[in-house]
Amino acid sequence: RAYLDEGSESLRRAEKILKELECSTSGNALRVLGVISQNLNNFREAKEYFREAILEFCRSGKEHESIWSAVAHWNMHIAEKELGRR
């Protein structure tokens, strides 16, 4: 239950930040969910969110325009690195 509450609070904070930055795209929302999963040490779930975020950036045509797409690729790298350590 504590993880759910912590995750929900993190999601609300992330949503607020994204709105302030005017970066609220579905690709970025998926990336943020991945970051939340990563912070909860759920690297498999995080990797899946990052993969979906990257695909969404590709579908939207903003893969090369958005810095958040590059961040999603980096996040994926970190998740894969962590999974390789286990």
Side-chain angles (χ1 to χ4, degrees), residues 1-68:
R1 176 87 175 131
Y3 282 127
L4 181 59
D5 291 341
E6 183 181 333
S8 295
E9 179 60 28
S10 295
L11 183 58
R12 282 190 290 279
R13 285 194 313 259
E15 181 181 34
K16 180 181 176 198
I17 291 167
L18 288 173
K19 284 181 180 175
E20 289 173 6
L21 294 173
E22 298 178 2
C23 298
S24 57
T25 65
S26 54
N28 210 26
L30 289 163
R31 189 192 63 76
V32 169
L33 289 172
V35 170
I36 292 168
S37 295
Q38 194 170 33
N39 286 326
L40 295 174
N41 293 321
N42 189 343
F43 296 103
R44 289 193 196 290
E45 183 177 81
K47 182 180 171 181
E48 183 61 28
Y49 278 125
F50 297 141
R51 186 183 73 76
E52 288 297 321
I54 291 166
L55 291 173
E56 188 58 36
F57 282 117
C58 288
R59 282 192 286 269
S60 71
K62 295 185 179 186
E63 181 182 21
H64 301 290
E65 297 173 19
S66 173
I67 191 169
W68 298 113

Side-chain angles (χ1 to χ4, degrees), residues 69-82:
S69 176
V71 173
H73 280 87
W74 178 250
N75 291 141
M76 173 75 94
H77 168 75
I78 298 299
E80 288 176 340
K81 187 174 174 183
E82 287 297 323

